[in-house]
Amino acid sequence: MLSKKTKYGLKALTYIAKSEGDNPVQISEISKSENIPQKFLESIMLTLRKSGFLGSKKGKHGGYYLIKEPAQIKMADVMRVLEGPIAMVPCVSLNFYEKCDDCPDEHECSVHKLMIQVRDNTLKVLRNNTLEDLSGS
Amino acid sequence: MLSKKTKYGLKALTYIAKSEGDNPVQISEISKSENIPQKFLESIMLTLRKSGFLGSKKGKHGGYYLIKEPAQIKMADVMRVLEGPIAMVPCVSLNFYEKCDDCPDEHECSVHKLMIQVRDNTLKVLRNNTLEDLSGS
DNA sequence: CATTAATCCTATCGATTTAATAGGGATTAC
DNA sequence: GTAATCCCTATTAAATCGATAGGATTAATG
């Protein structure tokens, strides 16, 4: 299941990418337009800023803006920050690898084999899609 | 994240598929061999039986056996029973569709578009792989 | 028929995670 | 100096997950 956090984060990024002009976009505006609880969205935006996807401007008329071009923002990277590992089991994760407690040898593990395939195909999609793809028409 | 329930369930099915002969396989044996808590495995086997993947024999020398050929058991079907929907959001689920609370129009939703692609690719993998593929060498 | 070994079934528990809220601090435009 | 806005930490309520408990039922076997 995709968490609400990730879902809201992706929607917010898309909203900012779509909003033309150089003015920063306010949380309150995104919150109203996308039906996202404002306080919850606040913490998500903070995460996205701290991980280098967004810049912010404080005070009146402040808000958030993209730091990179939408075409440079890969969904795989956003997902890793908001949702965590893309792999369904830690033992097939590229960025968050962990050995399983059970499983003496993961190369013999049937689940391992299957989940590598799932990971590879999911990654393919998430690497091919950028924020530009999400916000385009 | 794949739940332990699903992971254990897949391992147990693989174990039974690999164990040749017509004798039913006991929970205690699978539990020891695959490092799965026995009581937990019990409830998983029950689920798999009730959903038509396994048959059982009660009493002494009882146990579980496959009802269908391994090649006929698609991972997509097993996953749906143990893990629930394959889609990451209910609004792109084929078997468990639900409208989102937010989202006035899901055809306009950027997350929706992305998650359909993820679902399609995951499904492709899970439909192509059968229990025979998992248990083969 | 008694014993043993197995599945069957329901309930419960503790830990973790999730989604959301609360409450204020810091900064900037005007 | 006031209002608007981001910044930050803490807390909470509910749900889920992994596991355990405790027995009821069934069947093989001597």
Side-chain angles (χ1 to χ4, degrees):
Chain A
M1 263 303 195
L2 197 74
S3 65
K4 298 256 180 183
K5 182 177 169 191
T6 304
K7 188 184 177 190
Y8 292 161
L10 290 175
K11 280 189 162 189
L13 285 174
T14 306
Y15 186 91
I16 296 178
K18 276 182 174 167
S19 89
E20 304 172 11
D22 287 341
N23 295 327
V25 184
Q26 285 116 39
I27 286 174
S28 59
E29 182 187 340
I30 303 174
S31 159
K32 273 173 210 152
S33 175
E34 300 292 326
N35 301 305
I36 302 172
Q38 177 156 345
K39 275 295 203 178
F40 193 13
L41 183 56
E42 250 186 65
S43 70
I44 297 167
M45 300 303 269
L46 224 41
T47 304
L48 288 172
R49 197 213 61 196
K50 287 181 179 168
S51 48
F53 294 104
L54 294 176
S56 69
K57 184 163 177 271
K58 288 185 199 170
K60 203 166 184 178
H61 298 174
Y64 287 94
Y65 51 89
L66 293 175
I67 285 188
K68 291 186 271 185
E69 291 298 313
Q72 305 304 315
I73 301 177
K74 286 186 191 145
M75 285 307 104
D77 298 325
V78 180
M79 289 281 289
R80 284 207 185 89
V81 163
L82 293 176
E83 190 75 5
I86 285 159
M88 295 190 80
V89 279
C91 73
V92 303
S93 172
L94 297 177
N95 293 262
F96 302 84
Y97 174 84
E98 267 181 59
K99 193 180 175 313
C100 296
D101 293 340
D102 45 325
C103 270
D105 177 12
E106 67 192 26
H107 300 296
E108 296 291 318
C109 175
S110 56
V111 178
H112 188 80
K113 283 192 290 184
L114 182 64
M115 289 303 139
I116 281 189
Q117 294 180 55
V118 173
R119 180 205 65 190
D120 285 344
N121 278 270
T122 305
L123 262 184
K124 201 174 59 190
V125 172
L126 296 179
R127 282 181 175 151
N128 276 343
N129 278 274
T130 68
L131 186 55
E132 188 180 38
D133 299 315
L134 287 222
S135 54
S137 72
Chain B
M1 265 304 197
L2 196 74
S3 65
K4 298 260 181 181
K5 182 177 168 190
T6 303
K7 189 184 177 191
Y8 293 161
L10 290 176
K11 281 187 161 192
L13 285 175
T14 306
Y15 187 93
I16 296 178
K18 276 182 176 168
S19 89
E20 305 173 9
D22 285 342
N23 295 328
V25 183
Q26 284 119 37
I27 286 174
S28 59
E29 182 186 340
I30 303 174
S31 159
K32 274 173 209 153
S33 173
E34 300 292 325
N35 300 305
I36 302 171
Q38 176 156 347
K39 274 297 205 177
F40 193 11
L41 184 56
E42 248 185 66
S43 71
I44 297 168
M45 300 301 272
L46 223 41
T47 304
L48 288 172
R49 197 212 61 195
K50 285 183 180 168
S51 49
F53 295 103
L54 294 175
S56 68
K57 183 163 177 272
K58 288 187 201 169
K60 203 167 184 179
H61 299 172
Y64 289 93
Y65 50 89
L66 293 175
I67 287 188
K68 289 186 272 185
E69 291 298 312
Q72 304 305 316
I73 301 179
K74 288 188 190 141
M75 286 305 106
D77 297 325
V78 180
M79 290 280 290
R80 285 206 185 90
V81 162
L82 293 176
E83 190 76 6
I86 285 160
M88 296 190 76
V89 279
C91 72
V92 303
S93 173
L94 299 175
N95 293 262
F96 301 84
Y97 175 83
E98 264 181 60
K99 194 179 173 313
C100 297
D101 294 339
D102 46 324
C103 270
D105 177 10
E106 66 190 29
H107 300 296
E108 297 289 319
C109 175
S110 56
V111 179
H112 187 82
K113 281 193 289 185
L114 182 64
M115 289 303 137
I116 281 188
Q117 293 180 57
V118 174
R119 179 205 65 191
D120 285 344
N121 279 271
T122 305
L123 262 184
K124 201 175 56 191
V125 173
L126 297 179
R127 282 182 175 150
N128 275 343
N129 278 274
T130 68
L131 185 55
E132 187 179 40
D133 300 313
L134 287 224
S135 53
S137 72

